[in-house]
Amino acid sequence: GAGVSQSPRYKVAKRGQDVALRCDPISGHVSLFWYQQALGQGPEFLTYFQNEAQLDKSGLPSDRFFAERPEGSVSTLKIQRTQQEDSAVYLCASSQRQGANTEAFFGQGTRLTVV
Amino acid sequence: GESVGLHLPTLSVQEGDNSIINCAYSNSASDYFIWYKQESGKGPQFIIDIRSNMDKRQGQRVTVLLNKTVKHLSLQIAATQPGDSAVYFCAENWNAGNMLTFGGGTRLMVKP
């Protein structure tokens, strides 16, 4: 595709529900990143994949958060037993090269609201 | 669309004027810096980047200045246009690590 695609665009979940957020990166991009953006703040790093390998998950806030990229392309961010503090925009980005010291292209994000 | 930031520092400029957006970064070891533009309801969009071996880099209508002595980064936008209205974030990376660390953002408002 032309850019990074994320779905759904909006998600409302009842507290305690599990959710799955999808990211389709730009074809051929090696690196894939997930960020969380709270209202009025800058994005905060969650996790990083190089191809199918999850090399860094230091930003995941709890063990309720899980991400995968099994074939090195599409990635899914799963949040189990959602809490109100999980409400945020979840952004996915991809880049051609490894690491974060290169131009990364962001998707439009998924806005998660936990009620 | 949703508001990207409700309580961000705001810079208001007249259309056609030059804009300067400032950013203080946190890590003296950072060696890669990037500016992103984020419009309401959209993801961040790359504007320009700079590595620590440079002090200045120019793009189309934009210039980034890096002052490593005081850990300061600035984005200059020439002849600001209404389409430049957005929230601007600086971000830093060190040692080719796996993450960008974003600053808090500045809202730019362009008055016609």
Side-chain angles (χ1 to χ4, degrees), chain A residues 9-10 35 37 40 100-101 104, chain B residues 2-4 36 38 41 51 97 100:
Chain A
R9 186 78 175 86
Y10 302 93
Y35 287 84
Q37 186 173 27
N101 62 336
Chain B
E2 309 90 352
S3 174
V4 170
Y36 278 97
Q38 189 172 27
R51 299 190 186 276
L100 289 172

Side-chain angles (χ1 to χ4, degrees), chain B residues 25 30-35 48-50 52 66 73 91-92:
Chain B
Y25 62 90
S30 291
D31 52 14
Y32 176 75
F33 305 87
I34 191 166
W35 280 99
I48 192 168
D49 60 1
I50 188 169
S52 59
L66 175 62
L73 196 65
E92 61 189 291

Side-chain angles (χ1 to χ4, degrees), chain B residues 16-91:
Chain B
D17 287 352
N18 297 333
S19 303
I20 300 176
I21 301 172
N22 296 304
C23 173
Y25 62 90
S26 61
N27 188 341
S28 57
S30 291
D31 52 14
Y32 176 75
F33 305 87
I34 191 166
W35 280 99
Y36 278 97
K37 170 187 179 183
Q38 189 172 27
E39 296 174 277
S40 185
K42 297 184 178 180
Q45 176 187 357
F46 172 87
I47 301 173
I48 192 168
D49 60 1
I50 188 169
R51 299 190 186 276
S52 59
N53 60 349
M54 302 175 69
D55 297 323
K56 178 179 179 179
R57 189 162 188 231
Q58 288 185 291
Q60 187 175 15
R61 277 204 309 121
V62 295
T63 301
V64 55
L65 299 176
L66 175 62
N67 185 332
K68 296 182 285 293
T69 302
V70 293
K71 295 192 294 183
H72 184 267
L73 196 65
S74 68
L75 177 70
Q76 300 178 358
I77 304 174
T80 314
Q81 302 169 358
D84 295 327
S85 294
V87 177
Y88 290 79
F89 292 99
C90 66

Side-chain angles (χ1 to χ4, degrees), chain A residues 1-5 24-29 74 94 105:
Chain A
V4 177
S5 178
D24 283 85
I26 295 172
S27 179
H29 276 197
V74 171
S94 70
F105 298 85

Side-chain angles (χ1 to χ4, degrees), chain A residues 35-87:
Chain A
Y35 287 84
Q36 180 190 60
Q37 186 173 27
L39 194 61
Q41 298 182 20
E44 292 192 353
F45 172 81
L46 293 176
T47 188
Y48 165 67
F49 289 86
Q50 184 179 315
N51 297 309
E52 70 279 2
Q54 188 176 22
L55 298 186
D56 190 336
K57 50 184 180 179
S58 61
L60 296 177
S62 77
D63 59 7
R64 296 186 295 104
F65 286 71
F66 171 77
E68 60 183 3
R69 193 187 186 197
E71 297 179 357
S73 55
V74 171
S75 177
T76 304
L77 176 67
K78 298 178 180 178
I79 308 174
Q80 296 177 326
R81 305 180 304 282
T82 51
Q83 305 294 316
Q84 283 193 316
E85 61 263 27
D86 300 335
S87 296

